[in-house]
Amino acid sequence: MEEKEHNWKENLPNIILKIFLSAFVLFLLVMPTIFIGFAFSDTRYLLPVRLGVFSVLPVLLLGLIWVPKKGKFMKYWGIGTAVLVVSIFINTAYIEHDNKITIDTTPNINLHDYLPFDPDSNIAVLDHKASLKLSGDLPVVDGAAAVFPLYSAFVNATYPNYIRLWAGTLEYNNTVGGYEMLADKKTDIFFGAYPSDEQIAYAKAQGTEFVYTPIGKEAFVFFVHKDNPIDNLTTEQIRAIYSGQITNWKQLGGSSEPISAYQRNEGSGSQSMLIRFMDGTPIMEPETEKINDLMSGIIEQVADYRNKDGAIGFSFRYYMEGIIKNPDVKLLSIDGVAPTVENIQNGSYPITAPLYAVTWEGNDNENVALLLNWILSEEGQELVKKTGYVPIG
């Protein structure tokens, strides 16, 4: 007994040292994990990192401190390694599955597929030279992503062939940035959907009055997973979904599945369209997801659309059918009418919206009026149709 007590007292300094080293090792492991987290924009990828730091490395390093016998040490370290390998496999499989069902409802198209004066471009072209060829003070054009193929086609038809993207004449800032640039009079024409109330208010604060020229028609559409048995909704049912009054597809004659109603960021063309469609009915808070931002830490953003059985999203017809072309989603009929080109043209589809060329009052660049008049001509409307939009006529 005295011998054991003597051995314990002899080993006390060694034990204290091991405890200190263990605490120091854990501290060194925790701090890098926190900083690594900020480097990941998708928190899903942090699972194997965290498991690696908190299972394999602790067992390895702490084992070196506490386990003198090599056999036991290798056993414990092997268990930790197995946990890490399995976690990485499961995590990777989950991410791959989630990526497959994620549809980017933010229209970030590949602009380089739709550049003017490029023989490999996918833009629509006329069968003959355009009757208008601009020179001199060329209008600076900008627009929404889903409309880039169209206004790039206008540039291709009527501008000099030295024009290049982001070189001062052909710009792309999407809806939020584009309307701000137009309000600041840094551009001449913005192509896209009608602006939000906030964007109009910002323009007025800058002393800018927007002028709207309809150049085409577009359908505002709602879409669901292709296996969702619901094919049609009424306008009132959609308003009830997005106001939170209807929360389960069973209430609409579908499966007993909670409804995940996805939205877009404020100021985007489609979110502004949703607000107008709701016609004063309050919209529920959007689903959000937490992400790690390198500068601001953990922030929340509007969740990406996940194409699951209970999901519903919205966009514009051309973007869904002309750019995304995802076979796993289907567009819903609204009030019994499908969003076809014919139904948009004849006005039977209930949620249509003009596609605008937006300018600012008082612009004295004569080429702006020339370009707008040409867009409304037979040639301009031919490009509207060839691109995939519905002409105004």
Side-chain angles (χ1 to χ4, degrees):
M1 188 72 177
E2 290 181 1
E3 185 178 347
K4 287 184 179 180
E5 184 178 349
H6 178 72
N7 290 338
W8 182 85
K9 288 180 179 180
E10 273 191 351
N11 290 329
L12 183 58
N14 191 35
I15 293 173
I16 294 175
L17 178 61
K18 288 182 177 180
I19 292 174
F20 173 79
L21 289 174
S22 299
F24 183 67
V25 165
L26 291 174
F27 172 78
L28 291 179
L29 292 174
V30 169
M31 294 307 296
T33 306
I34 295 174
F35 288 108
I36 288 171
F38 291 116
F40 286 85
S41 60
D42 190 336
T43 55
R44 296 173 300 172
Y45 289 95
L46 284 176
L47 178 60
V49 175
R50 286 171 174 158
L51 283 173
V53 171
F54 290 110
S55 62
V56 176
L57 288 179
V59 172
L60 173 61
L61 298 176
L62 296 180
L64 291 172
I65 297 172
W66 291 96
V67 183
K69 294 183 179 180
K70 186 177 179 181
K72 286 186 177 181
F73 165 72
M74 294 302 295
K75 174 183 176 182
Y76 296 144
W77 187 77
I79 293 173
T81 302
V83 170
L84 177 61
V85 170
V86 171
S87 70
I88 290 176
F89 175 79
I90 295 174
N91 189 66
T92 302
Y94 164 76
I95 292 172
E96 288 182 355
H97 170 72
D98 203 44
N99 287 339
K100 286 180 180 178
I101 64 173
T102 299
I103 296 178
D104 184 7
T105 53
T106 306
N108 290 325
I109 66 174
N110 186 351
L111 302 179
H112 296 284
D113 290 339
Y114 299 95
L115 294 177
F117 313 114
D118 183 342
D120 297 322
S121 179
N122 293 329
I123 58 173
V125 294
L126 298 172
D127 296 329
H128 56 276
K129 285 188 177 181
S131 59
L132 174 68
K133 204 65 177 180
L134 297 173
S135 61
D137 189 5
L138 298 172
V140 180
V141 295
D142 195 0
V147 193
F148 183 81
L150 179 57
Y151 71 88
S152 180
F154 293 155
V155 168
N156 186 76
T158 62
Y159 280 54
N161 61 10
Y162 61 79
I163 298 301
R164 296 294 180 267
L165 179 62
W166 290 313
T169 301
L170 175 60
E171 298 296 310
Y172 163 66
N173 292 288
N174 215 331
T175 301
V176 177
Y179 268 122
E180 183 177 334
M181 295 282 287
L182 188 68
D184 292 336
K185 299 181 180 179
K186 295 179 180 178
T187 56
D188 295 300
I189 307 175
F190 176 86
F191 293 92
Y194 195 81
S196 67
D197 291 343
E198 291 76 13
Q199 288 160 342
I200 295 173
Y202 176 80
K204 289 184 176 180
Q206 309 309 307
T208 302
E209 190 73 29
F210 288 152
V211 180
Y212 307 94
T213 303
I215 62 170
K217 298 178 182 179
E218 178 61 307
F220 187 55
V221 297
F222 292 86
F223 55 91
V224 296
H225 189 280
K226 65 180 178 62
D227 294 332
N228 190 319
I230 298 295
D231 295 313
N232 175 76
L233 291 173
T234 67
T235 53
E236 290 308 312
Q237 286 172 332
I238 295 175
R239 289 189 179 112
I241 288 173
Y242 275 92
S243 63
Q245 298 174 48
I246 293 179
T247 59
N248 195 295
W249 288 106
K250 188 176 182 180
Q251 296 172 260
L252 302 169
S255 306
S256 182
E257 184 83 28
I259 298 176
S260 295
Y262 287 88
Q263 299 185 42
R264 286 288 318 285
N265 57 298
E266 289 186 14
S268 66
S270 54
Q271 187 70 16
S272 298
M273 185 65 193
L274 176 70
I275 293 171
R276 290 194 291 276
F277 164 76
M278 294 295 284
D279 196 25
T281 303
I283 302 175
M284 64 181 178
E285 288 294 317
E287 294 197 16
T288 58
E289 57 190 6
K290 292 181 178 178
I291 65 169
N292 280 322
D293 182 85
L294 185 59
M295 298 302 294
S296 56
I298 301 295
I299 62 173
E300 282 193 338
Q301 67 176 16
V302 178
D304 289 333
Y305 178 85
R306 301 284 197 271
N307 191 30
K308 299 178 181 178
D309 292 346
I312 182 171
F314 57 82
S315 188
F316 291 101
R317 180 200 60 85
Y318 170 72
Y319 178 60
M320 294 302 298
E321 294 187 339
I323 297 177
I324 287 185
K325 300 178 182 179
N326 190 310
D328 293 324
V329 299
K330 63 179 179 180
L331 304 187
L332 295 174
S333 294
I334 306 297
D335 295 334
V337 182
T340 63
V341 170
E342 180 182 0
N343 291 337
I344 298 169
Q345 187 73 65
N346 63 31
S348 61
Y349 183 73
I351 323 175
T352 57
L355 181 64
Y356 290 103
V358 188
T359 54
W360 44 273
E361 194 174 75
N363 192 332
D364 59 2
N365 186 340
E366 295 180 355
N367 278 330
V368 172
L370 287 175
L371 180 57
L372 291 180
N373 289 334
W374 179 85
I375 291 173
L376 297 176
S377 73
E378 184 177 334
E379 290 178 340
Q381 290 298 291
E382 181 182 346
L383 287 182
V384 171
K385 184 177 181 179
K386 281 188 171 183
T387 299
Y389 288 100
V390 179
I392 59 174

